[in-house]
Structures are given as structure tokens and as C-alpha cells.
Amino acid sequence: MYGLSGDWSIISSPSPKPYPHKPPKCSNCAPLFMKITHMEMIKGIQGHGYYDELVIPIIENTAYENDITDSLAKAIEVYPKTTAVLVRHHGIYVWGDSWISAKTQAECYHYLFDAAAIKLHHLGLDWSTPDHGPIQNVKGFSSINSVIKRVATKVGTVDSNFKLQPYPRCIVLDIEGTTTPISFVTDVLFPYARDNVGRHLSATYDSAETQDDIKLLRSQVEDDLKQGVLGAVPIPSEDAGKEKVIASLVANVEAMIKADRKITALKQLQGHIWRTGFENNELEGVVFDDVPEALEKWHALGIKVYIYSSGSRLAQRLIFGNTNYGDLRKYLSGFFDTAVGYKRETRSYVEITESLGVDKPSDMLFVTDVYQEATAAKAAGLEVVISIRPGNGPLPENHGFKTINSFLEI
């Protein structure tokens, strides 16, 4: 159990269990709990008579508990005496004497309704009618076709033999060459970070964030020097002065960018530099034209979509929060970066599947433009398709993966 103070800082933490258990993590609900005051979880609405008014707020469900904080806080502010909520999840309204019970029930009902529709179809029963009678023939065509198609709008697609092909439970997307042109990364983001690294470090040198970035870079450069990595130069101690430290950092970062290294130290600093660029409207994220429509469709179907990129999670949120199609983060359920592992390592995809709690790895679809990433994900049991986009590199002959030119093909 975590002990929290009134300002949400952690006072005490639980002891971690030995490997292979994951380290403890404070609940996503924590900021939400801090918003709740003067409320009790009750089993009924007591003290209300015929002429009384009871106002119950409706709260849209979200992927993570802490994302619901603002809407609940607003509801409590407007209706301070409320003792219950309605949580809306894909058109399903669930009453709860607490937000967490309503949220959980809504998600369960949504899953069960979809499962029931498929089961009824398998039994030859029309799930779309009140009495669930047998599927009838209409005008010479079996209505089984339309039934399957109606079910498919929620749970899958239909092949030429009217066989239901279920949608993946989760979709994990690469960015560069998959959602976004490679040219945007190589010709816009990388040059911006390279040209502004010195200015950024000088302006923010004394901040805790930048000092953390420098500490991470020092550790990486020390390893690079031991391994003889080309372009690595020693970073002097703080005693040498701010300017000399920054000059050496700039030299190392430029070499890392030139080599297109997928390392956390570089990606974390780049994310902080890009944040300034987006805040100053000097940068705008770019996605392919089919991406917003596909994300909206998957979101409506209840498919959770995640991003896995070598860029930092901050950089990912910046790109999708400031695109040429507006803020697309509402369609995304989470972000993964190299902190979970490198993208060409099978263990990284095993870690993602375990983090998301899917029943089996094949419930997850990974979309990338890189053959080595596709191979690593497939080895972890994921379904994989390779994205063919303008400017992407060639694939090996007989690579064995399904390819797409647009997300609308998924």
C-alpha cells in the first residue's frame, strides 16, 4: 500500500517483490481519489422523497482511471451532494454508487453483449430481434448475411465466405514510416533537435529536468567511450564550467543523431527540445491521411490503440497531440518507448503484452515498416502487418508478412 500526503506526494511505498515480479506502481486512480471529498459509497439513495430532485452526472468512460479525474471533479463541483454516477461506455449506461464500480461494470457489459451476439449467431438465432427467433430468409437471401455483417461492425470483418474474422483486441502502431512519413522525422524533427540542442541546454541548464537529461547523457557517453563508439567525446565535470559541459553535450548529441541511435538518453532530450518547438508553434505533427479515419473507427469499435516508438513517450504525445488533423490522442490508450525495450528485441513485445494484459499475444496486432521489428514481434506471438508508405525502405524478398498501404485495409 502507498501512503500519500494531501498534495499527492508519496510518503511511503510497498517493498518490491523479487524478480520476475514487476516493481510496484502507484494506482492510476490516485489523483482521482484526491478529488473526492464529502462522499460516501452507499447502497441506495436514501433520504429522497417523491418531490425531491436527484441529479446524477453522466461521465464518459476513459482508457485509464486517472483520465476520468477532471470530469468527476467537475461533476462533484457542480453537484456536491451527488452520491452516485452514470458511466457511459460505448452507448451503455451503468448506474453505480461509486465511479469505479460503474466504470468496471460498463466495460464488462460491453464485452458480454458482444460475446452474446456472436454466440446467438452461432446457434442460428437472430440476436437483433427481441425474441431471438431463428434467422429467417428474406427475398431469397438468407438474412444470416446481414446478421453477420451487423455483428461484424462491432467485433470483426467478413471474408468472401461470410466467415467472421475478429478484430484484434489491441493494435500497436509504430510511428516513423507507419503513421507518419519518414521525411517528417528525418527532415523536420531531427534537424530541429540538432539545431536547438545548445540553445535548449543553455536556457534550461539549471532545471531539474535538464540536469536529469545531462545525467543520463553522461552515463550513456561513458559506456560509449568504453566501447569505442564513433563520435563519443568525454563530458567534463561541472567544475569545468557550464559552457564547456554544454559544448561537449552538443557534440555527443549531434553524433548520436547522425548515427540515428535508438537510445533513451538521446530520445528523452529530443522530446524536451521538441516540446518547446510545439509550444512555440514552430513544429506541427504530420500523419498520413488515412490515419485519423482509422483511429476513429477503431475507437468506435472499442479497439484499444497504442503507440510503440523509439521516440520518447513525451515526443509521441507531442506528435499526436499537435497533428495536421488536430489532437488525435483521444483515440490512443497509451504509449511505449525504449524504456520497455528495444524494438528489434522479442522481449520488448512480450513485456508489452504482459503490461496490457491480453489473453494471448495473438489478440494484439503490431503495425510497422521495419522487417526486423516485425520479426521480433512475430516471435513474441503477435499478429503483424508491414506498412508500405512512400519513402519507406525496401523489404527482403519473400519476407512472409502481410503488407498494407493504408490503415483502412486493416
Side-chain angles (χ1 to χ4, degrees):
M1 180 177 293
Y2 280 88
L4 305 180
S5 66
D7 61 357
W8 193 32
S9 59
I10 297 177
I11 299 173
S12 61
S13 303
S15 300
K17 296 180 179 179
Y19 181 85
H21 294 282
K22 296 180 182 179
K25 175 180 176 293
C26 193
S27 170
N28 284 332
C29 307
L32 180 60
F33 295 152
M34 305 306 292
K35 294 289 185 181
I36 300 177
T37 59
H38 303 94
M39 293 183 68
E40 294 182 28
M41 293 178 62
I42 56 177
K43 297 302 180 184
I45 309 301
Q46 300 179 1
H48 290 82
Y50 182 80
Y51 295 101
D52 295 327
E53 180 183 48
L54 175 64
V55 179
I56 300 176
I58 298 175
I59 297 175
E60 294 288 349
N61 194 22
T62 58
Y64 295 102
E65 284 82 358
N66 59 333
D67 291 340
I68 209 171
T69 304
D70 292 340
S71 57
L72 180 62
K74 182 179 179 181
I76 295 173
E77 179 183 356
V78 177
Y79 309 113
K81 294 183 179 180
T82 186
T83 54
V85 296
L86 277 175
V87 171
R88 176 165 50 201
H89 180 80
H90 294 291
I92 300 171
Y93 292 79
V94 175
W95 165 286
D97 53 10
S98 74
W99 68 272
I100 188 65
S101 65
K103 173 182 171 66
T104 303
Q105 291 180 65
E107 293 169 351
C108 290
Y109 284 137
H110 177 237
Y111 172 80
L112 290 173
F113 289 160
D114 279 348
I118 298 174
K119 187 63 177 179
L120 285 168
H121 161 65
H122 287 166
L123 295 173
L125 303 177
D126 189 350
W127 63 273
S128 64
T129 60
D131 59 358
H132 302 318
I135 298 173
Q136 303 293 326
N137 291 334
V138 180
K139 295 184 179 179
F141 293 91
S142 172
S143 63
I144 186 173
N145 296 350
S146 60
V147 170
I148 294 178
K149 291 176 180 177
R150 288 199 299 274
V151 175
T153 62
K154 286 294 290 180
V155 296
T157 57
V158 180
D159 64 18
S160 58
N161 295 318
F162 292 105
K163 181 180 179 182
L164 187 64
Q165 303 295 323
Y167 283 121
R169 180 175 173 186
C170 299
I171 296 177
V172 180
L173 302 173
D174 171 49
I175 294 180
E176 185 180 356
T178 301
T179 67
T180 300
I182 290 179
S183 59
F184 172 71
V185 178
T186 58
D187 300 342
V188 178
L189 289 184
F190 283 179
Y192 185 91
R194 182 194 63 224
D195 297 342
N196 289 278
V197 60
R199 184 181 70 172
H200 172 80
L201 291 173
S202 296
T204 64
Y205 189 81
D206 295 323
S207 69
E209 181 178 82
T210 296
Q211 285 299 311
D212 184 58
D213 291 345
I214 294 174
K215 181 180 179 180
L216 203 58
L217 284 166
R218 282 185 182 277
S219 177
Q220 181 65 54
V221 171
E222 288 175 2
D223 289 342
D224 291 348
L225 290 170
K226 292 177 183 178
Q227 298 175 21
V229 174
L230 185 66
V233 298
I235 301 175
S237 66
E238 294 294 332
D239 297 338
K242 171 181 173 180
E243 299 304 324
K244 289 186 177 180
V245 172
I246 290 178
S248 63
L249 288 169
V250 169
N252 279 289
V253 169
E254 288 180 346
M256 292 174 180
I257 293 176
K258 184 177 181 180
D260 191 21
R261 298 185 65 186
K262 314 294 186 182
I263 49 179
T264 302
L266 172 63
K267 298 304 179 180
Q268 180 172 302
L269 176 63
Q270 284 178 320
H272 295 150
I273 297 172
W274 291 330
R275 179 179 60 198
T276 301
F278 281 105
E279 289 175 348
N280 295 338
N281 294 320
E282 297 172 344
L283 292 172
E284 180 184 63
V286 176
V287 296
F288 291 109
D289 294 340
D290 56 276
V291 171
E293 182 179 349
L295 291 178
E296 184 177 8
K297 180 187 77 171
W298 297 334
H299 181 74
L301 292 169
I303 300 172
K304 295 184 182 296
V305 181
Y306 300 86
I307 301 297
Y308 179 31
S309 172
S310 56
S312 68
R313 290 186 296 174
L314 170 61
Q316 297 171 32
R317 288 192 292 267
L318 289 170
I319 291 173
F320 287 97
N322 303 272
T323 78
N324 49 326
Y325 285 91
D327 190 346
L328 300 178
R329 291 174 299 177
K330 60 185 176 182
Y331 301 125
L332 303 174
S333 296
F335 302 88
F336 294 96
D337 59 14
T338 52
V340 80
Y342 293 109
K343 297 184 68 182
R344 299 188 181 192
E345 297 178 356
T346 298
R347 179 61 201 172
S348 304
Y349 301 91
V350 173
E351 182 66 24
I352 290 176
T353 59
E354 292 178 349
S355 298
L356 298 183
V358 295
D359 294 332
K360 51 186 181 294
S362 59
D363 287 341
M364 187 179 302
L365 173 67
F366 179 55
V367 187
T368 181
D369 66 306
V370 179
Y371 171 73
Q372 293 85 347
E373 295 175 5
T375 301
K378 182 179 180 180
L382 279 68
E383 294 293 325
V384 181
V385 298
I386 293 183
S387 171
I388 307 296
R389 300 287 195 177
N392 286 9
L395 294 171
E397 291 186 13
N398 303 318
H399 54 76
F401 289 99
K402 177 182 178 180
T403 62
I404 59 168
N405 294 284
S406 166
F407 282 180
L408 300 181
E409 298 175 36
I410 298 177

